[in-house]
Amino acid sequence: MDASITALLMASDTPGLPDACGEDPNYVCERVFEATDGNETAARLADWLIDRPLSIFLILLIAFILIRVSRRYVDRLVRRIVSPPTPSSRLLFIPGLQGGDNTLSDPEVREREDRMRLRKEARAASISEVLTSTISVAIWVIALMLVLSELGVDLAPLIAGAGIAGVALGFGAQALVKDCISGLFMLLEDQYGIGDVVDLGEATGTVEEVALRTTVLRGIDGTVWHVPNGEVQRVGNMSQHWSTALIDIDVAYDADLDAVSDVMQATADKVCDRDGISQFILDAPQVLGVETLGADGITLRMTVTTTPGSQWAVQRELRAALKVAFDAEAIEIPFPQRTLWLRNQDA
């Protein structure tokens, strides 16, 4: 038999009980009504002063406990997913290095492990905060609805109105939902983090903040870019795990390419051994050879594997040193030349 029908039949056996405690009387109201020989005022006061406050307190207490438990277990789950044990060979292997030894020394191993551990911890904290905030909002909304129900508020119109408002908000805030979902996947996939130099298409710069809806970049000229995550179609991360300093330099067609390569190699070795530069170098510089045969000269390419984000500083030092070395060895760096013909109209 339905519970409401059962309660109605029980209430009908006690005259005045439905008027004092409603068609579905609670335990406290019914007991006080019986103990006071049908005193409706005492039953109503007991309902409002004892039963309902106690029910509201229990609802809020359970919501608080659920939020605390969810925060603890969500944080553990996220950290377990985001920061799984990584084999050392995979963690320390640097792709693209030529030669037999492409692993790092013990101090470099520890430094690289610490850097990646801090990055994973920061990413796990960001994801955990987003998920726990969402769960907390959902729990408090449900608790608020239960509290209103205890106060006698009819929830049917509220739920119907919330449903209509939700549909309208869903149509009007599609971009917001898209931004939030894209931001969540960016955090989960570790596409970039704070301090990385990234190219997001319309904006390029250093990541200063990664939120669920937007990413904040600071360009080289100091401009702060707020990029909605839903608008990011591609991500170019120029400072994750390791970087490459790329140098393309032109020489004249009559230059001795072997001699030029030797000068480039010797100069790059000296630069990479300097104090203030050597700590950024992960592998010895390599002259790869001829890259292009251009209209004005031959382009030679050289690469150096560096720590994340330090490739630009290494490139500047290498270019300056190569210019000095080429001048000392009388190696010509070609440039476009034009010939002007001056005509005398009176001649």
Side-chain angles (χ1 to χ4, degrees):
M1 184 178 295
D2 188 79
S4 60
I5 298 176
T6 304
L8 183 60
L9 293 176
M10 292 176 62
S12 63
D13 296 336
T14 308
L17 182 60
D19 296 332
C21 302
E23 296 180 354
D24 187 10
N26 55 62
Y27 179 80
V28 174
C29 184
E30 187 174 358
R31 297 288 82 78
V32 171
F33 184 83
E34 293 175 354
T36 57
D37 295 329
N39 190 325
E40 296 183 6
T41 303
R44 291 195 184 98
L45 287 175
D47 182 41
W48 278 97
L49 298 179
I50 299 176
D51 185 76
R52 297 195 182 189
L54 181 61
S55 299
I56 293 174
F57 173 77
L58 290 176
I59 291 172
L60 297 179
L61 179 62
I62 293 174
F64 177 77
I65 294 174
L66 288 176
I67 290 174
R68 297 282 293 185
V69 171
S70 65
R71 283 183 178 274
R72 176 176 299 180
Y73 284 96
V74 167
D75 184 70
R76 290 181 180 178
L77 178 62
V78 170
R79 292 184 182 277
R80 185 176 301 175
I81 294 174
V82 173
S83 304
T86 305
S88 298
S89 59
R90 180 183 176 186
L91 175 67
L92 306 175
F93 184 84
I94 303 176
L97 300 191
Q98 298 182 3
D101 184 13
N102 56 0
T103 57
L104 306 179
S105 61
D106 289 341
E108 293 170 330
V109 166
R110 290 191 294 270
E111 180 182 357
R112 191 171 176 86
E113 287 178 336
D114 291 341
R115 186 166 59 248
M116 296 189 71
R117 177 178 54 81
L118 293 175
R119 180 185 180 90
K120 288 181 177 181
E121 289 179 355
R123 185 162 61 99
S126 300
I127 298 173
S128 177
E129 183 65 26
V130 169
L131 293 179
T132 52
S133 298
T134 303
I135 293 174
S136 298
V137 170
I139 291 175
W140 282 123
V141 168
I142 295 173
L144 177 61
M145 295 178 65
L146 293 176
V147 168
L148 292 176
S149 177
E150 287 294 328
L151 294 176
V153 178
D154 188 6
L155 296 180
L158 291 178
I159 295 176
I164 296 173
V167 172
L169 184 63
F171 281 107
Q174 294 182 30
L176 179 62
V177 175
K178 179 181 178 183
D179 293 340
C180 293
I181 294 176
S182 299
L184 180 60
F185 277 100
M186 286 178 181
L187 291 172
L188 289 172
E189 296 172 358
D190 192 22
Q191 296 181 10
Y192 50 78
I194 296 175
D196 288 348
V197 180
V198 298
D199 180 1
L200 300 184
E202 296 295 330
T204 301
T206 303
V207 179
E208 291 192 343
E209 181 181 351
V210 182
L212 191 61
R213 194 183 69 84
T214 61
T215 296
V216 180
L217 304 180
R218 184 174 294 274
I220 190 64
D221 59 350
T223 303
V224 177
W225 298 92
H226 297 264
V227 183
N229 293 327
E231 300 297 325
V232 178
Q233 300 298 321
R234 59 156 176 83
V235 176
N237 195 326
M238 293 173 276
S239 57
Q240 192 173 31
H241 304 315
W242 55 274
S243 301
T244 299
L246 179 65
I247 302 294
D248 285 338
I249 191 166
D250 293 342
V251 296
Y253 269 97
D254 58 356
D256 185 344
L257 297 183
D258 291 334
V260 172
S261 298
D262 292 340
V263 172
M264 292 177 63
Q265 186 67 54
T267 303
D269 289 338
K270 291 179 181 179
V271 171
C272 293
D273 289 336
R274 291 179 186 172
D275 292 337
I277 297 295
S278 58
Q279 67 266 28
F280 300 136
I281 307 303
L282 297 180
D283 189 55
Q286 298 174 5
V287 179
L288 301 183
V290 176
E291 182 65 22
T292 59
L293 301 175
D296 301 307
I298 300 174
T299 301
L300 297 179
R301 171 164 291 184
M302 178 173 60
T303 60
V304 183
T305 303
T306 68
T307 55
S310 61
Q311 66 269 32
W312 297 285
V314 175
Q315 287 174 174
R316 286 190 289 268
E317 292 291 332
L318 286 173
R319 292 191 185 101
L322 287 172
K323 174 62 170 62
V324 174
F326 278 20
D327 289 343
E329 298 293 333
I331 299 174
E332 179 185 357
I333 300 177
F335 55 91
Q337 302 184 30
R338 293 182 177 86
T339 301
L340 300 179
W341 293 82
L342 301 179
R343 296 183 178 181
N344 189 349
Q345 298 294 335
D346 297 334

